[in-house]
Amino acid sequence: MLGWEFPPFISGGLGTACYGLTKAMSKQGINVTFVLPKSVVGQNGSHVKMLSPADVSKTGTSTRAVTDFETLKIATEMERVKILKIASPLTPYQTPQEYKHIQENKHNIDEIIREKRLLLDETWSFDASNLEVSTDYSGDMFKEIHRYAAAAARLALNEQFDVIHAHDWMTYPAGMAVSALTGKPLVVHVHATEFDRSGEHVNQAIYDIERKGMHAADKIIAVSYLTRNIIISRYAVSGDKVEVVYNGVEKNGDAVNPVKQVGIKSDEKIVLFLGRITMQKGPEYFLAAAKKVLEVMENVKFVMAGNGDMMHRIISMAAEMGIGSNVLFTGFLRGEDVRRVYELADLYVMPSVSEPFGIAPLEALNNDVPVLISKQSGVAEVLTHVLKVDFWDINEMANKIIAVLKYPPLQMTLKEHGNFEVRKLRWEDAAQKCEKVYNEVLVGTV
Amino acid sequence: MASICFYFQVHQPFRLRHYTVFDQTHDYFDEFKNSSICRKVARKCYLPTNRLLLDLIKKHDGKFKISFSITGVLLEQLEKYAPEVLSTFDALAQTGCVEFIGETYYHSLSFLYSKNEFKEQILKHSQMIEKYFGQIPQVFRNTELIYNNELAKTISEMGRFKGVITEGADHILGHRSPNFLYQPPGCGDLKLLLKNYSLSDDIAFRFSNKAWNEYPLMAEKFANWVNKVNGTGYVVNLFMDYETFGEHQWEETGIFDFMRQLPEEVLKHPDNNFMTPTQVAETYEASDVVDVPHVISWADTERDLSAWLGNAMQSNALHDLYKLEKNIKESRDVDILNDWRKMQTSDHFYYMCTKYFADGDVHKYFNPYDSPYDSYINFMNALGNLKHRCKGEVPKKTVHSQIETALKV
């Protein structure tokens, strides 16, 4: 499995999803080798012990694949998940053993790597004019993707596996390279597309990588029908190649948390936005709705938890609208802080303009917080006991926020049923569906 | 002897329009939606079925009889949106083979919250029926067939009715059959007509179900089932929504052909006939007393109130609504009173049901809202405005303290 992030080093839902999925797969007896590309800062996660690059003494002279990757220690819950981290850049020369190995495979790894480089360069030549097009991603990121692809391809020769499962565009080149090298089937998992991230202003280079990955894949897993439709209509992929596998949610101490008593809190109500403060997540719609709510109700605080490229704009927007004192910014929260903010919240709002799935509302429900989500989210396909609204319909968003704050029975019923419903969304089911997809692609190769 | 007693429930609510907390107008109801649904149902069900029944009555020379319970809120809508339907109902009334049953004008749950309001609505309905069809209802059915001993007592005390119709629920009957007449405890002569839900549902729900092992249901087969009642009972109460014909069961299912054949097939047996509820109550003696201390209804498998009162939102909305009664009536404003009463129609609370919501079954089919939560929000927003009106206040921006008082249940 090729991924880009894994808890606790996460910036969004992708890492959470990879974690939940691999854990469930491990329980089902599927052996997963998870390849992580980045050098990440050392910190202990709850289930997986990770080592930072500094802890590992690199031999420097050896170029054998094994030492290019760190093998991370895994807790018993994930005993079948092996996490490998590519810690060093690609080395230009191969050892004789490795060369022999490659010959046996009737492939020339250098050739593959060159092809990959060409493929990337075709769409992304590293010249200044192209770099300017995309200010969001540094050129270094593409280099890293490239390096990751090459390293993963080399790694693949030393690993036993049946299927390649690549999560999101950054790992597609790696998936394609490994597939070309080993002949193993490729499954790409689309957690988000460039259209979700950038609206209509897509980064052509990323789009091209996505498109190539999707077309090269034997099967595509989409996180929702919403995403499936985008894949079919925007990437010209045939529908029978795309399966929908919904994400699940980890249960965290649901029974331990007593249900909060409605109405006994201080007179202040809290409406929560939790996510990256970026175009895709619709923070300005949240603000506009907040303004409308505050015209009718006092004592409501709107908490925006998260970071993002639009943060400064949103802060000044709140001030310009005259609601600055009612909108609080917490920055990026993790772990216990997330838990605490959920405990305070009366309502969680996800006004996403485009959300392929959206795990965060599931976590809110898991924490007994009722949820208002945009109809433009994949998770709206699976949740019924939530409030739904078009992201652009500020009036209706405000109407629903007020209703939750004003009518305790509404909050109570949403919580009760929502918490129950969310328990039915299990990673085990997602893992099973992925396994089904694996079996399909394996049949195709035999 | 087996007497078939047909009773058709004819009802459409005044659906609320989309009403947000920012709205301040006093028009709560969706003219467009209500008129288009009313016209659609008139075209697909009321007009063709009325015509068919009129033909059947004429053809069988008075031997085919039926009864209707038409709500006041539907009569109002027919008058406004589809007056031609009223004249066909009137034509049926003129045959002498059609009885009109009494109920609450607003198809409300008022019995559970206010006896005064309940009785006022029954009287208002009775007057409406007399005005349109020249009959005074003599048998009563409560909204959703909601019933218990207390309801029988209230109806008995009103002194207007000879019988009450309710569900033949297994748990009130035990081993007894719904094909007899019963009596509530301590209500004098008042008779109880119980729905034969098995035979009724064969027509209303299972008729077009291809997975049903009796599919396709033909009039002859159904008449044979009725014949079997001879000797083990004397009345078969077939109670169903009128929209069964042409709306729940589309014309293509053959439901109209079934009905066209049915009287003839039933009357082939010399001991069978058709009766209206009042005739049944006058003809047959009660064979036993049925004790119903707890409230029953026709709904779902539970036959209880949970479809209208199953969650906190429903109970909150109903309590808040009936809490206004005194203020509303003291306002002496007819518009306010009518709006309040239209909001009592049970459908509004049915839309808020969360019981089977996720499974997307029959509850969803009749629901104009995307979710029970949306319907609750909409209802409460409209109710909030109404509350201000009867206090004589113009609702400015909703003030927080007022919201607080609105929340106290």
Side-chain angles (χ1 to χ4, degrees):
Chain A
M1 200 174 273
L2 305 161
W4 206 253
E5 56 173 32
F6 206 79
F9 318 107
I10 57 168
S11 60
L14 178 59
T16 312
C18 289
Y19 174 78
L21 187 63
T22 50
K23 188 169 152 188
M25 283 183 166
S26 169
K27 270 193 227 155
Q28 272 166 33
I30 304 172
N31 291 310
V32 180
T33 303
F34 200 93
V35 184
L36 263 179
K38 280 198 201 170
S39 302
V40 281
V41 188
Q43 190 188 320
N44 285 339
S46 49
H47 295 96
V48 186
K49 197 180 174 205
M50 289 200 171
L51 301 173
S52 74
D55 299 334
V56 184
S57 58
K58 272 192 272 174
T59 55
T61 49
S62 168
T63 51
R64 288 188 306 119
V66 206
T67 51
D68 282 345
F69 314 103
E70 298 167 17
T71 304
L72 299 166
K73 201 182 145 199
I74 313 297
T76 47
E77 263 189 290
M78 300 184 74
E79 56 187 352
R80 287 176 186 276
V81 181
K82 184 161 86 176
I83 296 181
L84 301 179
K85 199 147 63 73
I86 297 169
S88 64
L90 178 70
T91 47
Y93 303 105
Q94 317 294 325
T95 61
Q97 294 109 300
E98 200 169 304
Y99 187 68
K100 186 164 163 265
H101 196 102
I102 293 160
Q103 290 296 14
E104 279 164 15
N105 280 281
K106 305 237 187 296
H107 284 287
N108 184 327
I109 195 163
D110 282 339
E111 190 53 40
I112 298 239
I113 290 161
R114 245 195 308 278
E115 271 171 14
K116 289 243 39 77
R117 202 189 290 270
L118 277 174
L119 189 125
L120 280 181
D121 287 355
E122 237 173 59
T123 56
W124 185 265
S125 49
F126 292 86
D127 63 57
S129 63
N130 253 347
L131 279 171
E132 263 170 52
V133 178
S134 140
T135 45
D136 296 345
Y137 303 100
S138 65
D140 191 50
M141 189 160 192
F142 283 89
K143 272 188 204 146
E144 214 168 324
I145 289 160
H146 175 224
R147 197 162 67 209
Y148 174 73
R154 300 205 311 116
L155 163 77
L157 297 174
N158 290 290
E159 291 293 327
Q160 291 292 319
F161 58 92
D162 302 305
V163 179
I164 309 147
H165 188 146
H167 294 278
D168 268 5
W169 69 275
M170 293 161 286
T171 69
Y172 294 170
M176 285 154 70
V178 175
S179 181
L181 183 63
T182 62
K184 309 274 191 200
L186 171 65
V187 174
V188 303
H189 199 135
V190 184
H191 297 266
T193 67
E194 183 56 14
F195 294 96
D196 301 309
R197 287 182 294 265
S198 309
E200 291 306 310
H201 310 286
V202 295
N203 182 317
Q204 190 61 40
I206 293 174
Y207 171 82
D208 289 340
I209 292 174
E210 286 182 331
R211 189 184 169 113
K212 281 208 171 74
M214 288 177 196
H215 283 265
D218 297 275
K219 273 272 182 186
I220 299 170
I221 293 173
V223 289
S224 64
Y225 282 93
L226 187 82
T227 302
R228 184 175 181 268
N229 289 342
I230 294 176
I231 293 168
I232 293 169
S233 63
R234 301 288 195 128
Y235 294 87
V237 171
S238 149
D240 49 12
K241 212 170 121 175
V242 194
E243 300 287 334
V244 172
V245 176
Y246 290 119
N247 288 330
V249 67
E250 288 274 319
K251 275 175 216 148
N252 50 347
D254 38 18
V256 190
N257 266 10
V259 177
K260 265 184 292 169
Q261 281 292 300
V262 178
I264 58 160
K265 277 192 306 180
S266 69
D267 57 345
E268 209 156 67
K269 303 281 187 185
I270 292 184
V271 181
L272 177 68
F273 173 103
L274 194 149
R276 274 178 299 120
I277 301 181
T278 185
M279 190 283 292
Q280 179 194 0
K281 305 287 183 185
E284 67 269 49
Y285 298 99
F286 181 74
L287 273 195
K291 171 135 178 84
K292 288 216 154 242
V293 171
L294 291 166
E295 280 168 12
V296 177
M297 281 181 99
E298 298 155 10
N299 292 328
V300 188
K301 287 276 194 290
F302 293 83
V303 175
M304 300 191 76
N307 263 328
D309 55 351
M310 277 175 71
M311 180 130 168
H312 291 293
R313 217 173 99 199
I314 292 295
I315 292 173
S316 53
M317 242 177 100
E320 281 160 25
M321 289 165 109
I323 55 171
S325 59
N326 290 74
V327 184
L328 310 176
F329 295 85
T330 67
F332 184 76
L333 299 180
R334 64 171 90 226
E336 199 45 40
D337 287 338
V338 174
R339 222 9 198 271
R340 270 180 43 220
V341 81
Y342 277 136
E343 228 161 78
L344 290 170
D346 292 282
L347 175 68
Y348 170 86
V349 181
M350 185 181 78
S352 296
V353 172
S354 178
E355 187 73 60
F357 187 78
I359 287 185
L362 305 184
E363 283 168 350
L365 287 169
N366 221 354
N367 282 282
D368 268 325
V369 181
V371 158
L372 168 60
I373 55 178
S374 78
K375 290 179 183 170
Q376 289 69 31
S377 65
V379 75
E381 294 167 19
V382 285
L383 292 179
T384 52
H385 293 285
V386 296
L387 300 177
K388 296 174 193 174
V389 67
D390 288 307
F391 73 87
W392 41 262
D393 195 348
I394 302 308
N395 220 43
E396 186 59 17
M397 201 185 292
N399 181 41
K400 285 187 166 147
I401 291 171
I402 292 168
V404 171
L405 304 181
K406 224 170 109 172
Y407 310 124
L410 175 62
Q411 202 180 5
M412 219 167 84
T413 317
L414 279 169
K415 263 189 209 178
E416 249 171 49
H417 288 86
N419 192 286
F420 183 76
E421 185 175 49
V422 85
R423 282 170 214 209
K424 288 191 278 184
L425 294 171
R426 303 175 327 133
W427 279 117
E428 283 77 9
D429 297 329
Q432 253 168 41
K433 282 189 192 146
C434 284
E435 193 178 2
K436 218 181 123 223
V437 172
Y438 294 165
N439 289 333
E440 282 169 29
V441 294
L442 283 171
V443 167
T445 58
V446 167
Chain B
M1 201 69 184
S3 302
I4 288 200
C5 178
F6 263 119
Y7 134 57
F8 303 114
Q9 180 63 37
V10 199
H11 167 64
Q12 291 294 330
F14 277 100
R15 293 162 198 84
L16 293 168
R17 74 178 178 88
H18 183 59
Y19 198 91
T20 73
V21 70
F22 305 109
D23 280 288
Q24 293 178 18
T25 58
H26 299 164
D27 52 328
Y28 308 135
F29 304 99
D30 194 329
E31 275 285 318
F32 177 75
K33 192 184 277 169
N34 290 326
S35 63
S36 51
I37 291 177
C38 187
R39 289 196 194 101
K40 187 192 83 177
V41 179
R43 194 178 63 244
K44 286 177 71 181
C45 165
Y46 302 154
L47 288 172
T49 320
N50 280 0
R51 202 177 306 126
L52 171 65
L53 295 176
L54 194 60
D55 290 348
L56 287 172
I57 288 168
K58 284 183 183 151
K59 181 178 164 195
H60 292 283
D61 205 16
K63 283 188 189 125
F64 178 60
K65 289 172 185 151
I66 49 170
S67 67
F68 291 107
S69 187
I70 309 184
T71 65
V73 282
L74 178 69
L75 286 170
E76 277 186 37
Q77 293 188 70
L78 289 176
E79 198 167 58
K80 245 167 132 178
Y81 309 129
E84 68 277 20
V85 177
L86 283 178
S87 52
T88 61
F89 272 119
D90 188 46
L92 283 164
Q94 303 306 319
T95 63
C97 295
V98 177
E99 179 179 338
F100 290 86
I101 297 168
E103 69 165 306
T104 57
Y105 186 101
Y106 293 92
H107 200 258
S108 71
L109 303 172
S110 53
F111 168 70
L112 302 169
Y113 293 88
S114 164
K115 294 276 158 15
N116 277 337
E117 178 62 16
F118 176 64
K119 288 180 201 164
E120 282 172 32
Q121 289 189 16
I122 294 171
L123 293 181
K124 186 172 178 181
H125 181 256
S126 189
Q127 286 159 6
M128 185 89 157
I129 295 299
E130 193 181 359
K131 180 183 130 194
Y132 279 112
F133 309 117
Q135 281 188 25
I136 297 173
Q138 299 188 65
V139 166
F140 178 79
R141 59 81 66 183
N142 193 22
T143 312
E144 321 294 1
L145 299 186
I146 288 168
Y147 176 87
N148 64 4
N149 290 340
E150 202 192 328
L151 180 124
K153 204 151 171 278
T154 309
I155 292 301
S156 161
E157 281 164 9
M158 285 182 81
R160 310 172 63 91
F161 298 106
K162 294 183 172 135
V164 174
I165 281 173
T166 188
E167 178 67 36
D170 294 335
H171 67 278
I172 64 162
L173 280 173
H175 62 279
R176 294 172 292 191
S177 152
N179 304 334
F180 291 93
L181 228 60
Y182 294 91
Q183 253 185 323
C187 289
D189 268 352
L190 193 72
K191 302 273 175 52
L192 214 47
L193 282 78
L194 302 178
K195 173 176 154 189
N196 183 320
Y197 69 80
S198 173
L199 287 174
S200 299
D201 292 352
D202 285 341
I203 300 174
F205 297 128
R206 287 181 282 272
F207 183 80
S208 61
N209 180 0
K210 289 183 180 160
W212 181 34
N213 56 12
E214 300 292 349
Y215 181 89
L217 180 59
M218 297 299 182
E220 191 185 351
K221 188 193 275 177
F222 193 83
N224 280 331
W225 293 343
V226 171
N227 293 341
K228 284 187 194 148
V229 172
N230 274 296
T232 63
Y234 36 67
V235 61
V236 179
N237 291 316
L238 300 177
F239 304 160
M240 62 199 72
D241 282 347
Y242 201 35
E243 289 84 4
T244 299
F245 302 95
E247 181 70 13
H248 304 339
Q249 309 287 350
W250 292 350
E251 190 184 351
E252 293 76 21
T253 64
I255 190 78
F256 290 108
D257 298 329
F258 170 83
M259 201 59 194
R260 192 170 289 121
Q261 300 299 320
L262 190 65
E264 199 180 322
E265 292 294 336
V266 167
L267 292 171
K268 274 184 185 165
H269 193 297
D271 287 341
N272 290 347
N273 65 14
F274 289 91
M275 279 192 185
T276 67
T278 300
Q279 282 179 309
V280 169
E282 285 173 342
T283 310
Y284 299 112
E285 286 304 314
S287 58
D288 202 354
V289 171
V290 173
D291 185 28
V292 187
H294 303 296
V295 182
I296 60 163
S297 81
W298 64 264
D300 304 328
T301 46
E302 297 93 336
R303 301 285 198 269
D304 63 9
L305 293 179
S306 54
W308 304 274
L309 258 170
N311 65 38
M313 299 188 296
Q314 293 169 309
S315 112
N316 172 251
L318 276 161
H319 274 101
D320 272 16
L321 179 70
Y322 282 102
K323 228 170 50 183
L324 283 184
E325 180 176 0
K326 194 164 161 281
N327 286 348
I328 297 273
K329 289 181 177 167
E330 277 171 2
S331 78
R332 314 205 64 79
D333 181 323
V334 182
D335 290 339
I336 291 179
L337 181 66
N338 285 342
D339 282 348
W340 177 67
R341 285 181 159 169
K342 282 183 201 167
M343 289 179 76
Q344 291 183 36
T345 301
S346 66
D347 302 63
H348 299 304
F349 311 99
Y350 192 74
Y351 301 148
M352 298 176 199
C353 177
T354 45
K355 254 202 307 185
Y356 303 106
F357 173 52
D359 307 332
D361 74 339
V362 64
H363 283 250
K364 215 169 186 172
Y365 180 77
F366 300 109
N367 197 331
Y369 294 94
D370 289 339
S371 93
Y373 304 102
D374 290 2
S375 89
Y376 170 77
I377 293 170
N378 215 42
F379 183 89
M380 293 305 280
N381 286 341
L383 185 63
N385 186 279
L386 183 72
K387 200 178 297 187
H388 288 297
R389 276 168 73 195
C390 70
K391 279 184 199 149
E393 290 171 27
V394 182
K396 309 173 283 290
K397 304 264 160 131
T398 321
V399 181
H400 200 60
S401 66
Q402 290 168 340
I403 295 164
E404 289 303 314
T405 41
L407 293 179
K408 279 176 202 140
V409 180

